[in-house]
Amino acid sequence: MKEISLVLLGFGSANRTLAQMLLDKSEKDDSCRQCLRVVASGGSSTSKLVPWKVVCIITRRHGRVCVPHSSKSEINVEEALERIGAGGILDATLVRNTNEATTSTAHSTTTDDTIKLLNELGKTQTANIVVEAIPSNPKSDGEPAISFIRTALQAGMHVASANKCPLTHTRNDKETYFELQEIAKRNEKIYLHESAVMDGVPIFSFWNNLPGVTCTKIRGLLNSTSTMILSRIEGNIDKVVESDGQVEHVGETFEEALEAAKKVGIVEEDESLDIDGWDAAMKLRALCVFLSSSGNLSLPEDHDVIVPPLEAIPRDSIRQINPELICTEFRTSRKKVRSVASAELVDLPSDPAIGRHRPVKTWKMSVQNEFLSQSDPLYNLNGSSAAVQFFTDVMGPISVVSQDPTLMDTAYGLFADVVRIASQSS
């Protein structure tokens, strides 16, 4: 890739943090004013500087601005960040190096408008990478993010996405993720999603470095909000002194802990996604779908893998966890409660009566409130930390921990995907 031309689909916290990271990570030389260092493709250890620019920013509430199609113009990213930070809107004055008419609007952008614009940006080769970081409804159909990603790939652009919905939803009884990757392959494009599950932690890309490994089980704390709420209800329970055989509660009530998590800004707009296990179930299913995609499980070709639908995943709510329960369990066994997401690859017998003639495996998944012993690797995770363990057929458990992640972590996942795309398509 000779030049990175970005569409920022959404300009909320994640993409604004990414924009600042791009500026901070930029290098320059005599031929390049604003470049990213990209490792050359083909496994080479050499690197090169690749120019980058933003050619379009599309938002729901702050308008949109795009450079003229097929032009060499670019958006002033520093000014765009300042404008939105001050509560302003995007307009044509943000485009520099042009005397041509720009595409901008101060009004909200509809789904149809965005799809039309993405088609134009791709077909005119104005942009080559779409960075998608917009809210979608994970409980329904995952739109509009899925349609935007599909359109971008069909229009000839690569995609880096922070959205888990494409990995968790189905369309016409087919995994949406499989469909999108097939579109990408057909158009010789790349669709990456490192920030979809654990912010920027490389839990997807690291499987590229594990040839021949089959993941047999997944276990982890995938929802930071539930971990924070439960740890705040506990308080500093490890250091409480017993009185008359009882452990005095020193933490917060459920309501207080939820309010504290909201102030930190990690609670979904629909809080039931965090509290009732939906978010953890979606992230768990996303991992299972990814691992079940072509080549990732290293299973024989005559094996099929079934990933149960999201609605079929049993989910515990943390609403039922109260201080009395936490204190009693800690007093009797020194255990702590956490919302644990787990999945195990199990065999299904062939059944010609229902047309199942080939060997089949399926993921047995759940999100459950578990009381963890002190020897459990997840025991000491508190605050907004997250962790996942992968069990495989050839190695011991691989544990990945994200300690109190911030928006920088999410933005880095997107940043890393952009750099990988630039490297692999060069």
Side-chain angles (χ1 to χ4, degrees), residues 11-99:
F11 206 49
S13 300
N15 263 351
R16 291 205 304 272
T17 306
L18 168 66
Q20 186 61 57
M21 187 175 293
L22 287 166
L23 293 169
D24 293 342
K25 293 286 185 180
S26 288
E27 300 182 36
K28 61 182 179 179
D29 60 15
D30 294 339
S31 61
C32 183
R33 180 185 62 83
Q34 184 174 262
C35 297
L36 293 178
R37 185 162 295 280
V38 174
V39 176
S41 59
S44 171
S45 60
T46 60
S47 64
K48 62 179 181 178
L49 291 178
V50 178
W52 71 272
K53 63 181 180 179
V54 175
V55 297
C56 189
I57 303 175
I58 305 171
T59 76
R60 288 194 303 172
R61 295 190 295 269
H62 301 289
R64 73 168 189 255
V65 58
C66 295
V67 304
H69 297 331
S70 304
S71 76
K72 297 186 180 299
S73 309
E74 63 181 284
I75 292 171
N76 187 326
V77 177
E78 297 98 324
E79 189 174 337
L81 288 169
E82 291 177 7
R83 184 87 57 88
I84 298 302
I89 59 172
L90 305 173
D91 60 32
T93 61
L94 293 169
V95 178
R96 57 189 177 194
N97 303 332
T98 184
N99 294 316

Coordinates of all heavy atoms in Angstrom, one line a residue, residues 11-99:
F11 N -17.0 9.0 15.0 CA -16.0 9.8 15.6 C -16.2 10.0 17.1 O -16.1 11.1 17.6 CB -15.9 11.1 14.8 CG -14.5 11.8 14.9 CD1 -13.4 11.1 14.6 CD2 -14.4 13.1 15.2 CE1 -12.1 11.6 14.6 CE2 -13.1 13.7 15.2 CZ -12.0 13.0 14.9
G12 N -16.6 8.9 17.7 CA -16.7 8.9 19.2 C -15.4 8.7 19.9 O -14.4 8.9 19.3
S13 N -15.5 8.3 21.1 CA -14.2 8.2 21.9 C -13.2 7.3 21.3 O -12.0 7.6 21.3 CB -14.6 7.6 23.3 OG -15.5 8.5 23.9
A14 N -13.6 6.1 20.7 CA -12.6 5.2 20.2 C -11.9 5.7 18.9 O -10.6 5.7 18.9 CB -13.3 3.9 19.8
N15 N -12.6 6.3 18.0 CA -12.0 6.8 16.8 C -11.3 8.1 17.0 O -10.3 8.4 16.3 CB -13.0 6.9 15.6 CG -13.0 5.7 14.7 OD1 -12.1 4.8 14.8 ND2 -13.9 5.6 13.8
R16 N -11.7 8.9 17.9 CA -11.0 10.1 18.3 C -9.7 9.8 18.9 O -8.6 10.4 18.7 CB -11.8 11.0 19.2 CG -13.0 11.6 18.5 CD -13.5 12.9 19.1 NE -13.8 12.8 20.6 CZ -14.9 12.5 21.1 NH1 -15.9 12.2 20.3 NH2 -15.1 12.4 22.4
T17 N -9.7 8.8 19.8 CA -8.4 8.3 20.4 C -7.5 7.7 19.4 O -6.3 8.0 19.4 CB -8.7 7.3 21.6 OG1 -9.7 7.9 22.5 CG2 -7.4 7.0 22.3
L18 N -8.1 7.0 18.5 CA -7.3 6.5 17.4 C -6.6 7.6 16.6 O -5.4 7.6 16.2 CB -8.1 5.6 16.4 CG -7.5 5.2 15.1 CD1 -6.2 4.3 15.3 CD2 -8.5 4.6 14.2
A19 N -7.4 8.6 16.2 CA -6.9 9.8 15.4 C -5.7 10.4 16.1 O -4.7 10.7 15.5 CB -8.0 10.8 15.2
Q20 N -5.8 10.6 17.5 CA -4.7 11.2 18.2 C -3.5 10.3 18.2 O -2.4 10.7 18.1 CB -5.2 11.5 19.6 CG -4.1 12.3 20.4 CD -3.8 13.6 19.8 OE1 -4.7 14.5 19.6 NE2 -2.5 13.9 19.5
M21 N -3.8 9.0 18.3 CA -2.7 8.0 18.3 C -2.0 8.0 16.9 O -0.7 7.9 16.9 CB -3.2 6.6 18.6 CG -2.1 5.5 18.8 SD -2.8 3.9 19.2 CE -3.4 4.3 20.9
L22 N -2.7 8.1 15.9 CA -2.1 8.2 14.5 C -1.2 9.4 14.4 O -0.1 9.3 13.9 CB -3.2 8.3 13.5 CG -4.0 7.0 13.2 CD1 -5.2 7.3 12.4 CD2 -3.1 6.0 12.4
L23 N -1.6 10.5 15.0 CA -0.8 11.7 15.0 C 0.4 11.5 15.9 O 1.5 11.9 15.4 CB -1.6 12.9 15.5 CG -2.8 13.4 14.6 CD1 -3.6 14.4 15.4 CD2 -2.3 14.0 13.3
D24 N 0.3 10.9 17.0 CA 1.4 10.8 17.9 C 2.4 9.8 17.4 O 3.6 9.9 17.7 CB 0.9 10.3 19.3 CG 0.0 11.3 20.0 OD1 0.1 12.5 19.7 OD2 -0.7 10.9 20.9
K25 N 2.0 8.8 16.7 CA 2.8 7.7 16.2 C 3.4 8.1 14.8 O 4.2 7.3 14.2 CB 2.1 6.4 16.0 CG 1.6 5.8 17.4 CD 2.8 5.2 18.1 CE 2.4 4.4 19.3 NZ 3.5 3.8 20.1
S26 N 3.1 9.2 14.3 CA 3.5 9.6 12.9 C 5.0 9.9 12.9 O 5.6 10.4 13.9 CB 2.7 10.8 12.4 OG 1.4 10.4 12.1
E27 N 5.6 9.5 11.8 CA 7.0 9.9 11.5 C 7.1 10.7 10.2 O 6.1 10.7 9.5 CB 7.9 8.6 11.4 CG 7.9 7.8 12.7 CD 8.8 6.6 12.5 OE1 9.9 6.7 11.9 OE2 8.5 5.5 13.0
K28 N 8.2 11.3 9.9 CA 8.3 12.0 8.7 C 9.7 12.0 8.2 O 10.7 11.8 9.0 CB 7.8 13.5 8.8 CG 8.6 14.3 9.8 CD 8.0 15.7 9.9 CE 8.7 16.6 10.9 NZ 8.2 17.9 11.0
D29 N 9.9 12.2 6.9 CA 11.2 12.3 6.3 C 11.1 13.3 5.2 O 10.1 14.0 5.0 CB 11.8 11.0 5.9 CG 11.0 10.3 4.8 OD1 10.1 10.9 4.2 OD2 11.2 9.1 4.6
D30 N 12.1 13.4 4.3 CA 12.0 14.4 3.2 C 10.9 14.2 2.2 O 10.4 15.2 1.7 CB 13.4 14.3 2.4 CG 14.6 14.7 3.3 OD1 14.3 15.4 4.3 OD2 15.7 14.4 3.0
S31 N 10.4 13.0 2.1 CA 9.4 12.7 1.1 C 8.0 12.4 1.7 O 7.0 12.2 1.0 CB 9.8 11.5 0.3 OG 9.9 10.3 1.1
C32 N 8.0 12.5 3.1 CA 6.7 12.1 3.7 C 6.5 13.0 5.0 O 7.3 12.9 5.9 CB 6.8 10.6 4.2 SG 5.3 10.0 4.9
R33 N 5.4 13.8 4.9 CA 5.1 14.7 6.0 C 4.5 14.0 7.2 O 4.7 14.3 8.4 CB 4.2 15.8 5.5 CG 3.8 16.8 6.6 CD 2.8 17.8 6.0 NE 1.6 17.2 5.6 CZ 0.6 16.9 6.5 NH1 0.7 17.1 7.8 NH2 -0.5 16.3 6.0
Q34 N 3.6 13.0 6.9 CA 2.9 12.3 7.9 C 2.8 10.8 7.5 O 2.0 10.4 6.7 CB 1.5 12.9 8.0 CG 0.5 12.4 9.0 CD -0.8 13.2 9.1 OE1 -0.9 14.1 9.9 NE2 -1.7 12.9 8.2
C35 N 3.6 10.0 8.2 CA 3.7 8.6 7.8 C 3.6 7.7 9.0 O 3.9 8.1 10.1 CB 5.1 8.4 7.1 SG 5.3 9.3 5.6
L36 N 3.3 6.4 8.7 CA 3.3 5.4 9.7 C 4.4 4.4 9.3 O 4.6 4.1 8.1 CB 2.0 4.6 9.8 CG 0.8 5.4 10.3 CD1 -0.5 4.6 10.3 CD2 1.1 5.9 11.8
R37 N 5.1 3.8 10.3 CA 6.1 2.8 10.0 C 5.4 1.5 9.9 O 4.8 1.0 10.8 CB 7.2 2.8 11.0 CG 8.3 1.9 10.7 CD 9.6 2.2 11.5 NE 10.1 3.5 11.2 CZ 10.9 3.7 10.2 NH1 11.2 2.8 9.3 NH2 11.4 4.9 10.0
V38 N 5.6 0.8 8.7 CA 5.0 -0.4 8.4 C 6.0 -1.5 8.0 O 6.9 -1.2 7.3 CB 4.0 -0.2 7.2 CG1 3.4 -1.6 6.8 CG2 2.9 0.7 7.6
V39 N 5.9 -2.6 8.7 CA 6.8 -3.7 8.4 C 6.4 -4.3 7.0 O 5.3 -4.5 6.6 CB 6.6 -4.9 9.4 CG1 7.5 -6.1 9.0 CG2 7.0 -4.3 10.8
A40 N 7.4 -4.5 6.2 CA 7.2 -5.0 4.8 C 6.6 -6.4 4.8 O 6.8 -7.2 5.8 CB 8.6 -5.1 4.0
S41 N 5.7 -6.7 3.9 CA 5.0 -8.0 3.8 C 6.0 -9.1 3.5 O 7.1 -8.9 3.1 CB 3.9 -7.9 2.8 OG 4.4 -7.6 1.5
G42 N 5.5 -10.3 3.6 CA 6.3 -11.5 3.2 C 7.3 -11.9 4.3 O 8.2 -12.7 4.0
G43 N 7.0 -11.5 5.6 CA 7.9 -12.0 6.7 C 9.2 -11.3 6.8 O 10.1 -11.6 7.6
S44 N 9.4 -10.2 6.0 CA 10.6 -9.5 6.1 C 10.7 -8.7 7.4 O 9.7 -8.3 7.9 CB 10.7 -8.5 4.9 OG 11.8 -7.7 5.0
S45 N 12.0 -8.5 7.8 CA 12.2 -7.7 9.1 C 12.3 -6.2 8.7 O 12.5 -5.4 9.7 CB 13.4 -8.2 9.8 OG 14.5 -8.1 9.0
T46 N 12.4 -5.9 7.5 CA 12.5 -4.5 7.1 C 11.2 -3.7 7.2 O 10.2 -4.3 7.2 CB 13.1 -4.4 5.7 OG1 12.1 -5.0 4.8 CG2 14.4 -5.1 5.5
S47 N 11.3 -2.4 7.4 CA 10.1 -1.6 7.5 C 10.2 -0.4 6.5 O 11.3 -0.1 6.0 CB 9.9 -1.1 8.9 OG 11.0 -0.3 9.3
K48 N 9.1 0.3 6.3 CA 9.1 1.4 5.5 C 8.1 2.4 6.0 O 7.2 2.1 6.8 CB 8.8 1.1 4.0 CG 7.4 0.5 3.9 CD 7.1 0.1 2.4 CE 5.7 -0.5 2.2 NZ 5.4 -0.8 0.8
L49 N 8.2 3.7 5.6 CA 7.3 4.7 6.0 C 6.2 4.8 4.9 O 6.5 4.9 3.7 CB 8.0 6.1 6.1 CG 8.9 6.2 7.3 CD1 9.6 7.6 7.4 CD2 8.2 5.9 8.7
V50 N 5.0 4.8 5.3 CA 3.8 4.9 4.4 C 3.0 6.1 4.8 O 2.6 6.2 6.0 CB 2.9 3.6 4.5 CG1 1.7 3.7 3.6 CG2 3.7 2.4 4.2
P51 N 2.8 7.0 3.9 CA 2.0 8.2 4.1 C 0.5 7.8 4.5 O 0.0 6.8 4.0 CB 2.0 9.0 2.8 CG 3.1 8.4 2.1 CD 3.3 7.0 2.5
W52 N -0.1 8.6 5.4 CA -1.5 8.3 5.8 C -2.2 9.7 5.8 O -1.7 10.7 6.0 CB -1.6 7.6 7.1 CG -1.2 8.5 8.3 CD1 0.0 8.6 8.9 CD2 -2.1 9.3 9.1 NE1 -0.1 9.5 9.9 CE2 -1.4 9.9 10.1 CE3 -3.5 9.5 9.0 CZ2 -1.9 10.7 11.1 CZ3 -4.1 10.4 10.0 CH2 -3.3 11.0 11.0
K53 N -3.5 9.6 5.6 CA -4.4 10.7 5.7 C -5.8 10.2 6.0 O -6.1 9.1 5.7 CB -4.3 11.6 4.4 CG -4.8 10.8 3.2 CD -4.7 11.8 1.9 CE -5.2 11.0 0.7 NZ -5.2 11.9 -0.5
V54 N -6.6 11.1 6.5 CA -8.0 10.9 6.7 C -8.8 11.6 5.6 O -8.6 12.8 5.4 CB -8.5 11.3 8.1 CG1 -10.0 11.2 8.2 CG2 -7.8 10.5 9.2
V55 N -9.6 10.9 4.8 CA -10.3 11.5 3.7 C -11.8 11.6 4.0 O -12.5 12.3 3.2 CB -10.1 10.6 2.4 CG1 -8.7 10.6 2.0 CG2 -10.7 9.2 2.6
C56 N -12.3 11.0 5.0 CA -13.8 11.1 5.3 C -14.0 10.8 6.8 O -13.4 9.8 7.3 CB -14.6 10.2 4.4 SG -16.4 10.5 4.5
I57 N -14.9 11.6 7.5 CA -15.3 11.3 8.8 C -16.8 11.3 8.8 O -17.4 12.3 8.4 CB -14.8 12.3 9.9 CG1 -13.2 12.4 9.8 CG2 -15.3 11.9 11.3 CD1 -12.6 13.4 10.8
I58 N -17.4 10.3 9.3 CA -18.9 10.1 9.2 C -19.4 9.9 10.7 O -19.0 9.0 11.3 CB -19.4 9.0 8.4 CG1 -18.8 9.1 6.9 CG2 -20.9 8.9 8.3 CD1 -19.0 7.9 6.1
T59 N -20.3 10.8 11.1 CA -20.9 10.6 12.5 C -22.4 10.7 12.4 O -23.0 11.1 11.4 CB -20.4 11.8 13.4 OG1 -21.0 13.0 13.1 CG2 -18.9 12.0 13.2
R60 N -23.0 10.3 13.6 CA -24.4 10.4 13.7 C -24.9 11.8 14.1 O -25.9 12.2 13.6 CB -25.0 9.3 14.7 CG -24.9 7.9 14.2 CD -25.7 7.0 15.1 NE -25.3 7.1 16.5 CZ -26.0 6.5 17.5 NH1 -27.1 5.8 17.3 NH2 -25.5 6.6 18.7
R61 N -24.2 12.4 15.0 CA -24.6 13.6 15.6 C -23.8 14.9 15.3 O -24.3 16.0 15.5 CB -24.7 13.5 17.1 CG -25.7 12.5 17.6 CD -25.9 12.5 19.1 NE -24.7 12.1 19.8 CZ -24.4 10.9 20.2 NH1 -25.2 9.9 19.9 NH2 -23.3 10.6 20.8
H62 N -22.6 14.7 14.8 CA -21.7 15.8 14.5 C -21.5 16.1 13.0 O -20.6 16.8 12.7 CB -20.4 15.6 15.2 CG -20.5 15.4 16.7 ND1 -20.8 16.4 17.5 CD2 -20.3 14.3 17.5 CE1 -20.8 16.0 18.8 NE2 -20.5 14.7 18.8
G63 N -22.4 15.6 12.2 CA -22.3 15.8 10.8 C -21.2 14.9 10.1 O -20.7 13.9 10.8
R64 N -20.9 15.2 8.9 CA -19.8 14.4 8.2 C -19.1 15.3 7.3 O -19.6 16.4 6.9 CB -20.4 13.3 7.4 CG -21.2 13.7 6.1 CD -21.5 12.5 5.2 NE -22.0 12.9 3.9 CZ -23.2 12.9 3.6 NH1 -24.2 12.4 4.4 NH2 -23.6 13.3 2.4
V65 N -17.8 14.9 6.9 CA -17.0 15.7 6.0 C -16.2 14.7 5.2 O -15.6 13.8 5.8 CB -16.2 16.8 6.7 CG1 -15.3 16.1 7.7 CG2 -15.4 17.6 5.7
C66 N -16.1 14.9 3.9 CA -15.3 14.1 3.0 C -14.6 15.0 2.0 O -15.1 16.0 1.6 CB -16.2 13.1 2.2 SG -17.0 11.8 3.3
V67 N -13.4 14.5 1.6 CA -12.7 15.2 0.5 C -13.4 15.0 -0.8 O -14.2 14.0 -0.9 CB -11.2 14.8 0.5 CG1 -10.6 15.0 1.8 CG2 -11.1 13.3 0.0
P68 N -13.1 15.8 -1.8 CA -13.7 15.5 -3.2 C -13.2 14.1 -3.6 O -12.0 13.8 -3.4 CB -13.1 16.6 -4.0 CG -12.8 17.7 -3.0 CD -12.4 17.1 -1.8
H69 N -14.0 13.4 -4.3 CA -13.7 12.1 -4.7 C -12.5 12.1 -5.7 O -12.4 13.0 -6.6 CB -14.9 11.4 -5.4 CG -16.0 11.2 -4.5 ND1 -15.9 11.0 -3.1 CD2 -17.4 11.1 -4.7 CE1 -17.0 10.8 -2.6 NE2 -18.0 10.9 -3.5
S70 N -11.6 11.2 -5.5 CA -10.4 11.0 -6.4 C -9.4 12.2 -6.3 O -8.5 12.3 -7.1 CB -10.8 10.9 -7.9 OG -11.7 9.8 -8.0
S71 N -9.6 13.0 -5.2 CA -8.6 14.1 -5.1 C -7.5 13.8 -4.2 O -7.5 12.7 -3.6 CB -9.4 15.3 -4.5 OG -9.6 15.1 -3.1
K72 N -6.5 14.7 -4.1 CA -5.4 14.5 -3.2 C -5.5 15.2 -1.9 O -4.6 15.4 -1.1 CB -4.1 14.9 -3.9 CG -3.8 14.1 -5.1 CD -2.4 14.5 -5.7 CE -2.1 13.7 -7.0 NZ -2.0 12.2 -6.6
S73 N -6.7 15.7 -1.6 CA -7.0 16.5 -0.4 C -7.1 15.6 0.8 O -7.1 14.4 0.7 CB -8.4 17.2 -0.6 OG -8.4 17.9 -1.8
E74 N -7.1 16.2 2.0 CA -7.2 15.5 3.2 C -7.9 16.3 4.3 O -8.0 17.5 4.1 CB -5.8 15.0 3.7 CG -4.9 16.2 4.0 CD -3.5 15.7 4.5 OE1 -3.4 15.2 5.6 OE2 -2.5 15.7 3.7
I75 N -8.3 15.7 5.3 CA -9.0 16.3 6.4 C -7.9 16.7 7.5 O -7.0 15.9 7.8 CB -10.1 15.4 7.0 CG1 -11.2 15.3 6.0 CG2 -10.6 16.0 8.3 CD1 -12.2 14.2 6.4
N76 N -8.1 17.9 8.0 CA -7.2 18.4 9.1 C -7.6 17.7 10.3 O -8.6 18.1 11.0 CB -7.3 19.9 9.2 CG -6.3 20.4 10.2 OD1 -5.9 19.8 11.2 ND2 -5.8 21.6 9.9
V77 N -6.9 16.6 10.7 CA -7.3 15.8 11.8 C -7.2 16.5 13.2 O -8.1 16.4 14.0 CB -6.5 14.5 11.9 CG1 -6.8 13.6 13.1 CG2 -6.7 13.7 10.6
E78 N -6.1 17.3 13.3 CA -6.0 18.1 14.6 C -7.1 19.0 14.8 O -7.7 19.1 15.9 CB -4.7 18.9 14.5 CG -3.4 18.0 14.4 CD -2.9 17.9 13.0 OE1 -3.7 17.8 12.1 OE2 -1.7 17.9 12.8
E79 N -7.5 19.7 13.7 CA -8.6 20.6 13.9 C -10.0 19.9 14.1 O -10.8 20.4 14.8 CB -8.7 21.5 12.6 CG -9.7 22.7 12.8 CD -9.7 23.6 11.6 OE1 -8.7 23.7 10.9 OE2 -10.7 24.3 11.4
A80 N -10.1 18.8 13.5 CA -11.4 18.0 13.7 C -11.5 17.6 15.1 O -12.6 17.6 15.7 CB -11.4 16.8 12.7
L81 N -10.4 17.1 15.7 CA -10.4 16.7 17.1 C -10.7 17.9 18.0 O -11.5 17.8 19.0 CB -9.0 16.2 17.5 CG -8.7 14.8 17.0 CD1 -7.2 14.4 17.2 CD2 -9.6 13.7 17.6
E82 N -10.1 19.1 17.7 CA -10.4 20.3 18.5 C -11.9 20.7 18.4 O -12.6 21.1 19.3 CB -9.5 21.4 18.1 CG -8.1 21.2 18.5 CD -7.2 22.3 18.0 OE1 -7.7 23.3 17.5 OE2 -5.9 22.2 18.1
R83 N -12.4 20.6 17.1 CA -13.8 21.0 16.9 C -14.8 20.2 17.6 O -15.7 20.7 18.3 CB -14.0 20.9 15.4 CG -15.4 21.3 14.9 CD -15.4 22.8 14.6 NE -14.4 23.2 13.6 CZ -14.6 23.2 12.2 NH1 -15.7 22.7 11.8 NH2 -13.6 23.6 11.4
I84 N -14.6 18.8 17.6 CA -15.5 18.0 18.3 C -15.4 18.1 19.8 O -16.3 18.0 20.5 CB -15.4 16.5 17.8 CG1 -15.7 16.4 16.3 CG2 -16.3 15.6 18.6 CD1 -17.1 16.8 15.9
G85 N -14.1 18.2 20.2 CA -13.9 18.4 21.7 C -14.5 19.6 22.2 O -14.9 19.6 23.4
A86 N -14.7 20.6 21.4 CA -15.4 21.9 21.9 C -16.9 21.8 21.6 O -17.6 22.9 21.8 CB -14.8 23.1 21.1
G87 N -17.4 20.7 21.2 CA -18.8 20.6 21.0 C -19.3 21.1 19.6 O -20.5 21.3 19.4
G88 N -18.4 21.2 18.7 CA -18.7 21.7 17.3 C -19.1 20.6 16.4 O -19.3 19.5 16.8
I89 N -19.3 21.0 15.1 CA -19.7 20.0 14.1 C -18.6 20.0 13.0 O -17.8 20.9 12.8 CB -21.0 20.4 13.5 CG1 -21.0 21.8 12.9 CG2 -22.1 20.3 14.5 CD1 -22.2 22.1 12.1
L90 N -18.7 18.9 12.2 CA -17.8 18.8 11.1 C -18.3 19.5 9.8 O -19.5 19.4 9.6 CB -17.6 17.3 10.7 CG -17.2 16.4 11.9 CD1 -17.2 14.9 11.5 CD2 -15.8 16.8 12.4
D91 N -17.4 20.2 9.1 CA -17.9 20.9 7.9 C -16.7 20.9 6.9 O -15.6 20.5 7.2 CB -18.5 22.2 8.2 CG -17.5 23.2 8.9 OD1 -16.3 23.1 8.6 OD2 -17.9 24.0 9.6
A92 N -17.0 21.6 5.7 CA -16.0 21.6 4.6 C -14.7 22.4 5.0 O -13.7 22.2 4.3 CB -16.7 22.2 3.4
T93 N -14.8 23.2 6.0 CA -13.6 24.0 6.3 C -12.4 23.1 6.9 O -11.3 23.6 7.0 CB -13.9 25.1 7.4 OG1 -14.4 24.5 8.6 CG2 -15.0 26.0 6.8
L94 N -12.8 21.9 7.2 CA -11.7 21.0 7.7 C -10.9 20.4 6.6 O -9.9 19.7 6.9 CB -12.4 19.8 8.5 CG -13.1 20.2 9.9 CD1 -13.9 19.1 10.4 CD2 -12.0 20.7 10.9
V95 N -11.3 20.5 5.4 CA -10.6 19.9 4.2 C -9.5 20.9 3.8 O -9.8 22.1 3.5 CB -11.5 19.6 3.1 CG1 -10.7 19.0 1.9 CG2 -12.6 18.6 3.5
R96 N -8.3 20.4 3.7 CA -7.2 21.2 3.2 C -6.6 20.7 1.9 O -6.8 19.6 1.5 CB -6.1 21.3 4.2 CG -5.5 20.0 4.7 CD -4.6 20.3 5.9 NE -4.0 19.0 6.4 CZ -3.4 18.9 7.6 NH1 -3.3 20.0 8.3 NH2 -2.9 17.8 8.0
N97 N -5.9 21.6 1.2 CA -5.3 21.3 -0.1 C -6.3 21.0 -1.2 O -6.2 20.1 -2.0 CB -4.4 20.0 0.0 CG -3.3 20.2 1.0 OD1 -2.9 21.3 1.3 ND2 -2.9 19.1 1.6
T98 N -7.4 21.8 -1.2 CA -8.3 21.7 -2.3 C -9.0 23.0 -2.6 O -9.2 23.8 -1.8 CB -9.4 20.6 -2.0 OG1 -10.3 20.4 -3.1 CG2 -10.3 21.1 -0.8
N99 N -9.4 23.1 -3.9 CA -10.2 24.2 -4.4 C -11.5 23.6 -4.9 O -12.4 24.4 -5.4 CB -9.5 25.0 -5.5 CG -8.3 25.7 -4.9 OD1 -8.3 26.3 -3.9 ND2 -7.2 25.6 -5.7

